Amino acid sequence: MAEVVIDGIAYEVNPDNNLLQECLSQGLDLPYFCWHPCMGSVGACRQCAVKQYRDADDKDGILVMACMTPATDGAIISIEDPQAKDMREKVIESLMISHPHDCPVCEEGGECHLQDMTLMSGHNYRRYDKKKVTHRNQYLGPFINHEMNRCITCYRCVRFYDDYAGGTDLSAQASHHHTYFGRYDEGVLESEFSGNLVEVCPTGVFTDKAFSENYTRKWDLQVAPSVCTGCSVGCNTTPGERYGSLRRIVNRYNSEINGYFICDRGRFGFDYVNSEDRIQVPLVANGSDMEEVPAGELPPAIESYKGAGVIGIASPRASNESNFALRCLVGHENFYSGISDIEHEATQLILSLARDSAFNTPSVREIEKADAIVVVGEDITNVAPRIALALRQSVRNKAKELAGGCNIPIWQDAAVKELAQHDRSPLAILSSYATRLDDVASDVVIDSPSKLTSIGSAIASSISDKAPSGNSNEGVVSRIADQLVNAKHPLVIAGSSVGNIGLIQVAANIARALNDKRNEAIDLCLVVPEVNTIGMSMLVNNCNTLGVALDKLQSGAASKVIVLENDLYRHASYTAVDAALDKADGVLVIDQMPTRTTAKASTLLPSTSFSEHEATYVNYEGRAQLSFQVHRNPTAAIPAWRWLSEQQRGNIDALINRCAEEAANFEKLDDLLPDLNEFVASMKIPRQSHRYSGRTAMKANLNVHEPKQPVDDQSVMSFSMEGIPVTSDIPVLGAAWAPAWNSNQSISKFQDEINGELKQGHTGEFLIERNESGDYLDIATPNVSSNGLQLAIAYQIFGSDELSAKASTIQQRMTDAYVAISPSDAQSLGLNQGDEVSIDGNRHVAVACIRSKIKEGTAAVYCGDNDIDRHALGTTIALSKMVGENLYRGIKGLIVSDLYEESY
Ligand code: SF4
Ligand code: SF4
Ligand code: FES
């Protein structure tokens, strides 16, 4: 540690950081724009000027930029020095010369870092009275609005979009006071992380387009801490609601998971919550019709879903509580997995590896520290996007290492980049097709799924001769093996989305070989597709597969089934699901939106969405997290666990406690629950800000008297602005806000240090203990027929997740089902780009996408929004051209496919 004197007070600081970061860590107010806690310093805005003194006798000092000055031991600085204050005020005045001052109509207003810094700097009078520089705005796609006139040229947007997130279609153009931040040609922003521009830009240049269509000020949003349900990463978010509709989602800082950034699926994939298509009342079948159950009544059939002959099918997108309530109702032995059999097997393998002390499952923060990585078969950007963003940071560790060798602080962003140029830490990708991370990969091995397992095995045996040998002599094998062996923090990544157990086994063997070699736990990251795949799988008996459940129904061994928030047609072949559900005497489905499965229900019950109930989910690490209810659902929808609990009553805390007591490995689940008795005077945490307005006006068309706010007896949060004020020592952080800090940058007031843990502390509870030791795995080799093309399943960030695919914002970026094949296969099959093709006869129709970076003999199939019956496909498929129109330029959302074709 070092000691720095700031305005006469001595502070203990970290000498590896710069003065700005350390001032903020100490809770001091110092304005800044271009510095970002995750992106370091470039000294572009000159806003963070402070006075630095040579020693205690130096009375003059010099002005320095705090973000560009190391916090060296003995440094003496002043934030309050009049010259420094004057400089900060003048700088902001000059930055705002062409600013439109349109706060009243700007969507950033009220949560604007520029507003906050302007006030903090004391600039309050505009002297410039000449013509302002103005710009034309661009259309940037369905997610982001552009208002360039508000720009203060801090360069944060391009530093995030290009340098941090690897985008290539946003840049700083022109120069001087004409600098323009946008695309070369207007069009859809291509990065999967474009939504972060809304939070990274300190002004209102980039704003949330979907939010602007149904806008409200930040202080009028009702909010609560939530967890994204878009994938298994479990990023922390803050959804905001107003007048009964969910308006937006923003990032919620979690030091171990998402940090400051989330992906566009998580940010924009929520508006199905507001959809008129939501199931709103209980419905029961009467002949071929579904009839509504009168308000206040329960469907009479519900009572018959108890006792012998009733089975329950779980859900990877439902909470632990709903899955557990279903298990309690039908009995553990009648509770079945809600994912495909192959995914179930893969997930059970992942769970067994999660108990193996040879490995460590890294958090996103730990992934960023990796300095040699191999990805085995998983398309991380499309399956677990936030991890892909972390991988883009891990390849920069080489640059940081080089900088360390030259005594360049790693926060000196431009210098570090300049030094490293294109020198990156090794990232090897074994995949069946080109992926979005290939541009930062040191090796990309594109091959068929079966060949990838051989190459992976060869890497493992090249690291340790105890590993089962693989069958590949390629030079790339020893190169990847050497890189992993010689790294400080090697990382192996795979997952279950591709439906190939062999690839997970190979990844485990590579990690075990490293464990043998290095005698330390190795980071093994195994991702699964859905938010609670891990939690659900921990509750299900290993042998209770979905296939067994469907067989029982079809054979009559079970007569009735309860399907919990799950479209079974996404997890088993259409014919198997049809045969089972058609045979059942009763099909009770609980869900939020209509699906192919709800259409088969004899009793259909509406359930609440992620923002309408409190729930826990377990992410890919085995980390359980608590997500709070943001707003109420005005319809008859209730949390699924309530439908399944005795007489639909009960308390979520009691259910979590019961799950912790009864379900193996869930012992720590109730540690997530905040204890109201430990709060100040047992006061609750308000969901509404202290500036929340319009409570009386909200229902003025109905009644001018202010209605009583509903009482939330289920939670430590209240549906009002009353409760514990937002201070750094509150036990649950609903929304970050601090005096003079209205933007998302106020989070620094709640961190124990910049980029550190929140003072509230909770980053989740790990449910899985590593106390077992395993061994090398025999690699499963699927029977691959020599006829046809080897199948590789492709995922898409926009479309593969069931619920976000129902969000209208996401639908604008979705791609139709396609089959990607190599040019030579296309030629031999007589296919052109965009031809409509049938797979295995006429059963599945997709569009041919001819890509240069796919192995001959392989077909990558993206099933669209369940347009193709994925589970009816074998390990090889046959393609034939259908007679019809060439669809290439007509594929909805083709930008995604185009990117793959043109970027690599
Ligand atoms: S657009 Fe925003 S982030 Fe980009 S330079 Fe301008 S003010 Fe900074
Ligand atoms: S990475 Fe996954 S959890 Fe995180 S925001 Fe995206 S979809 Fe949500
Ligand atoms: S924040 Fe220090 S120069 Fe911009």
Side-chain angles (χ1 to χ4, degrees):
M1 294 303 271
E3 189 177 275
V4 169
V5 174
I6 306 171
D7 288 315
I9 300 172
Y11 295 89
E12 277 219 330
V13 299
N14 181 349
D16 295 337
N17 293 333
N18 60 64
L19 283 170
L20 171 61
Q21 180 165 343
E22 285 306 312
C23 287
L24 296 171
S25 281
Q26 301 299 336
L28 302 170
D29 287 347
L30 178 57
Y32 63 89
F33 286 118
C34 64
W35 173 83
H36 185 282
C38 257
M39 295 189 279
S41 312
V42 288
C45 71
R46 321 312 280 172
Q47 188 57 55
C48 63
V50 293
K51 185 69 82 63
Q52 183 168 26
Y53 302 91
R54 197 173 49 245
D55 52 38
D57 298 328
D58 180 6
K59 301 295 175 225
D60 298 330
I62 54 165
L63 285 173
V64 296
M65 295 307 120
C67 72
M68 298 297 281
T69 310
T72 41
D73 193 29
I76 304 171
I77 62 166
S78 171
I79 297 173
E80 296 302 325
D81 171 78
Q83 221 183 349
K85 285 171 85 170
D86 186 56
M87 169 147 180
R88 297 198 297 263
E89 185 185 335
K90 298 287 185 330
V91 164
I92 208 160
E93 183 178 7
S94 73
L95 286 175
M96 293 181 70
I97 273 182
S98 285
H99 191 78
H101 289 76
D102 59 343
C103 302
V105 296
C106 174
E107 285 155 36
E108 196 82 351
E111 55 181 324
C112 176
H113 190 60
L114 176 61
Q115 282 181 329
D116 288 350
M117 297 302 102
T118 306
L119 280 172
M120 197 178 286
S121 304
H123 166 58
N124 58 15
Y125 184 73
R126 178 187 184 82
R127 292 180 293 169
Y128 179 78
D129 60 0
K130 307 293 181 299
K131 198 174 170 191
K132 294 178 183 178
V133 176
T134 54
H135 305 272
R136 290 182 63 180
N137 300 320
Q138 290 182 323
Y139 165 78
L140 296 176
F143 296 160
I144 302 292
N145 271 334
H146 195 214
E147 178 45 74
M148 244 314 284
N149 293 332
R150 298 179 184 138
C151 179
I152 55 160
T153 344
C154 71
Y155 285 76
R156 264 183 165 203
C157 51
V158 287
R159 290 182 59 223
F160 168 76
Y161 195 93
D162 298 6
D163 302 347
Y164 196 91
T168 53
D169 60 323
L170 184 84
S171 57
Q173 294 153 32
S175 62
H176 306 296
H177 60 301
H178 287 286
T179 316
Y180 187 87
F181 297 85
R183 283 172 53 96
Y184 181 70
D185 284 324
E186 70 173 12
V188 178
L189 282 172
E190 294 166 359
S191 168
E192 299 81 4
F193 304 98
S194 66
N196 293 298
L197 290 174
V198 173
E199 297 190 49
V200 164
C201 175
T203 78
V205 175
F206 299 104
T207 52
D208 182 329
K209 195 172 203 169
F211 183 40
S212 73
E213 281 159 16
N214 199 7
Y215 181 74
T216 193
R217 290 289 183 205
K218 173 189 178 178
W219 60 77
D220 281 337
L221 288 169
Q222 182 166 290
V223 299
S226 186
V227 172
C228 176
T229 53
C231 81
S232 68
V233 179
C235 294
N236 289 195
T237 58
T238 303
E241 177 262 10
R242 175 77 164 165
Y243 290 164
S245 70
L246 193 57
R247 302 293 178 92
R248 72 165 181 186
I249 283 179
V250 292
N251 182 76
R252 178 167 66 93
Y253 178 83
N254 180 311
S255 56
E256 289 304 310
I257 307 178
N258 45 302
Y260 303 88
F261 308 118
I262 55 174
C263 79
D264 287 354
R265 179 197 277 177
R267 188 181 297 272
F268 300 110
F270 67 85
D271 75 15
Y272 68 89
V273 171
N274 306 326
S275 168
E276 290 185 353
D277 294 339
R278 285 282 298 271
I279 302 161
Q280 303 193 2
V281 289
L283 298 162
V284 288
N286 184 0
S288 56
D289 295 334
M290 293 298 279
E291 287 184 351
E292 288 186 15
V293 176
E297 287 182 24
L298 287 177
I302 228 176
E303 281 302 309
S304 68
Y305 284 87
K306 287 177 185 161
V310 180
I311 62 170
I313 298 180
S315 167
R317 61 173 161 89
S319 66
N320 294 317
E321 295 70 40
S322 293
N323 278 304
F324 178 68
L326 176 58
R327 192 177 98 167
C328 292
L329 182 70
V330 297
H332 200 161
E333 65 287 358
N334 297 316
F335 179 65
Y336 289 88
S337 174
I339 52 182
S340 72
D341 289 2
I342 186 83
E343 195 190 338
H344 176 78
E345 189 184 344
T347 311
Q348 293 300 330
L349 173 60
I350 288 171
L351 281 173
S352 75
L353 294 166
R355 291 189 284 269
D356 194 321
S357 54
F359 310 126
N360 166 58
T361 305
S363 65
V364 175
R365 168 68 68 91
E366 287 170 325
I367 288 170
E368 288 178 356
K369 293 185 183 142
D371 58 351
I373 305 126
V374 59
V375 180
V376 185
E378 198 73 7
D379 183 357
I380 292 293
T381 309
N382 286 308
V383 179
R386 184 60 185 82
I387 291 181
L389 189 59
L391 290 176
R392 287 192 178 273
Q393 312 323 308
S394 53
V395 297
R396 297 176 79 189
N397 284 325
K398 175 74 178 180
K400 292 175 185 167
E401 186 190 318
L402 292 172
C406 302
N407 284 333
I408 298 174
I410 56 171
W411 46 263
Q412 280 278 13
D413 194 50
V416 174
K417 259 176 50 195
E418 187 70 15
L419 176 72
Q421 299 291 322
H422 296 293
D423 224 349
R424 298 190 186 98
S425 300
L427 164 65
I429 299 177
L430 315 185
S431 172
S432 293
Y433 47 85
T435 73
R436 291 281 274 159
L437 283 170
D438 292 1
D439 60 322
V440 288
S442 47
D443 280 296
V444 178
V445 180
I446 293 181
D447 220 315
S448 64
S450 58
K451 188 74 194 305
L452 292 180
T453 53
S454 297
I455 296 169
S457 290
I459 294 171
S461 58
S462 174
I463 295 169
S464 167
D465 50 19
K466 291 188 204 158
S469 59
N471 180 15
S472 176
N473 296 321
E474 293 174 44
V476 69
V477 165
S478 53
R479 186 164 60 244
I480 296 171
D482 287 348
Q483 286 163 347
L484 292 169
V485 168
N486 295 322
K488 286 198 194 91
H489 302 291
L491 165 65
V492 185
I493 300 185
S496 65
S497 77
V498 280
N500 186 331
I501 304 279
L503 292 172
I504 300 173
Q505 293 166 327
V506 159
N509 282 357
I510 296 174
R512 198 175 300 282
L514 286 166
N515 172 258
D516 274 346
K517 189 87 178 174
R518 301 165 62 108
N519 203 20
E520 63 183 14
I522 299 298
D523 282 354
L524 174 64
C525 173
L526 300 172
V527 297
V528 291
E530 296 191 64
V531 59
N532 205 30
T533 306
I534 294 290
M536 179 211 72
S537 299
M538 287 167 63
L539 288 166
V540 174
N541 280 337
N542 201 351
C543 54
N544 278 15
T545 63
L546 179 58
V548 172
L550 297 179
D551 285 348
K552 277 197 159 184
L553 288 168
Q554 199 188 352
S555 67
S559 55
K560 292 191 173 180
V561 60
I562 302 174
V563 182
L564 171 64
E565 297 185 331
N566 195 339
D567 183 6
L568 301 181
Y569 292 88
R570 300 177 78 93
H571 300 288
S573 75
Y574 300 173
T575 46
V577 179
D578 279 341
L581 299 187
D582 290 347
K583 186 77 192 298
D585 289 342
V587 178
L588 188 156
V589 182
I590 305 173
D591 217 331
Q592 300 155 39
M593 294 287 286
T595 66
R596 212 184 270 234
T597 304
T598 61
K600 290 277 184 186
S602 52
T603 302
L604 180 56
L605 303 176
S607 61
T608 44
S609 76
F610 74 96
S611 58
E612 296 163 343
H613 56 228
E614 189 167 319
T616 67
Y617 307 95
V618 185
N619 83 346
Y620 75 95
E621 300 168 83
R623 184 196 299 261
Q625 298 192 91
L626 180 64
S627 177
F628 286 93
Q629 180 181 6
V630 178
H631 58 112
R632 290 169 312 133
N633 181 307
T635 71
I638 56 176
W641 63 264
R642 282 187 166 247
W643 288 119
L644 299 164
S645 300
E646 289 293 314
Q647 294 163 344
Q648 290 70 50
R649 281 200 293 273
N651 177 296
I652 183 74
D653 287 15
L655 185 59
I656 289 175
N657 285 327
R658 185 175 168 198
C659 184
E661 274 170 29
E662 294 180 16
N665 295 313
F666 279 83
E667 294 84 5
K668 293 197 210 134
L669 194 68
D670 53 0
D671 292 351
L672 292 171
L673 292 172
D675 184 356
L676 196 57
N677 295 322
E678 291 173 7
F679 287 20
V680 181
S682 293
M683 282 195 295
K684 292 195 171 204
I685 305 292
R687 288 183 172 91
Q688 296 172 352
S689 79
H690 55 289
R691 292 177 184 155
Y692 192 88
S693 62
R695 191 195 281 183
T696 310
M698 275 165 66
K699 301 272 191 281
N701 57 329
L702 303 172
N703 191 334
V704 292
H705 299 289
E706 182 174 311
K708 183 176 185 297
Q709 285 301 101
V711 174
D712 187 351
D713 55 8
Q714 290 275 316
S715 170
V716 297
M717 304 199 77
S718 64
F719 287 117
S720 75
M721 62 179 84
E722 290 87 18
I724 310 176
V726 196
T727 51
S728 58
D729 56 357
I730 49 166
V732 173
L733 184 59
W737 176 87
W741 295 80
N742 297 287
S743 79
N744 56 358
Q745 322 277 313
S746 59
I747 196 67
S748 67
K749 300 288 182 186
F750 298 85
Q751 295 166 325
D752 59 3
E753 59 178 335
I754 296 300
N755 293 331
E757 260 193 46
L758 289 181
K759 289 173 179 150
Q760 288 69 28
H762 235 300
T763 50
E765 289 290 340
F766 288 102
L767 299 186
I768 305 171
E769 277 194 32
R770 290 190 183 272
N771 49 19
E772 294 176 10
S773 55
D775 205 344
Y776 286 100
L777 301 168
D778 293 329
I779 309 301
T781 42
N783 277 337
V784 180
S785 147
S786 53
N787 297 325
L789 301 166
Q790 229 186 101
L791 173 72
I793 290 292
Y795 265 60
Q796 294 290 356
I797 180 172
F798 306 123
S800 290
D801 169 61
E802 185 181 346
L803 285 179
S804 64
K806 296 184 189 300
S808 62
T809 317
I810 293 290
Q811 282 169 352
Q812 295 173 64
R813 292 286 306 273
M814 275 161 53
T815 306
D816 286 342
Y818 63 78
V819 183
I821 49 174
S822 68
S824 55
D825 284 329
Q827 194 179 18
S828 60
L829 290 163
L831 290 173
N832 294 311
Q833 192 77 283
D835 279 346
E836 217 176 357
V837 293
S838 74
I839 306 173
D840 298 340
N842 273 335
R843 285 185 296 153
H844 322 279
V845 178
V847 176
C849 219
I850 301 167
R851 292 185 184 163
S852 54
K853 296 205 173 167
I854 190 163
K855 189 79 174 178
E856 191 183 334
T858 307
V861 175
Y862 169 62
C863 296
D865 190 15
N866 219 20
D867 301 329
I868 292 177
D869 184 357
R870 168 184 171 175
H871 302 286
L873 304 178
T875 49
T876 56
I877 57 172
L879 297 181
S880 49
K881 182 173 175 171
M882 294 183 72
V883 181
E885 218 179 317
N886 181 299
L887 298 176
Y888 186 60
R889 286 294 148 197
I891 304 175
K892 185 177 60 163
L894 188 65
I895 179 169
V896 181
S897 307
D898 270 345
L899 278 173
Y900 279 70
E901 191 59 25
E902 289 164 12
S903 302
Y904 306 108

